[in-house]
Amino acid sequence: MGFLKKEKRTAVSVQTQGGYPPVLPVTAGERALYRALREQVPIIDAAIYKLVRLVGGFEV
């Protein structure tokens, strides 16, 4: 009986990253601002450390 068979579906992959340039702090003032935010808002600092632990660290 053909009507009881389920049709096979193929997986669809979607790329979410387009051709956008990376958004990085360009000036020393922006880096100082981000550093000050990390010092003043503990949840930001904790989130950054958590991401580094999950990813395994990185080097620039």
Side-chain angles (χ1 to χ4, degrees), residues 22-44:
V23 179
L24 298 173
V26 177
T27 64
E30 288 177 343
R31 284 190 287 270
L33 172 66
Y34 296 147
R35 187 175 298 116
L37 279 172
R38 281 183 67 181
E39 291 173 359
Q40 296 299 318
V41 184
I43 192 83
I44 293 174

Side-chain angles (χ1 to χ4, degrees), residues 2-12:
F3 64 90
L4 294 178
K5 291 183 182 178
K6 291 186 178 182
E7 66 180 69
K8 292 184 181 183
R9 296 183 182 180
T10 58
V12 178

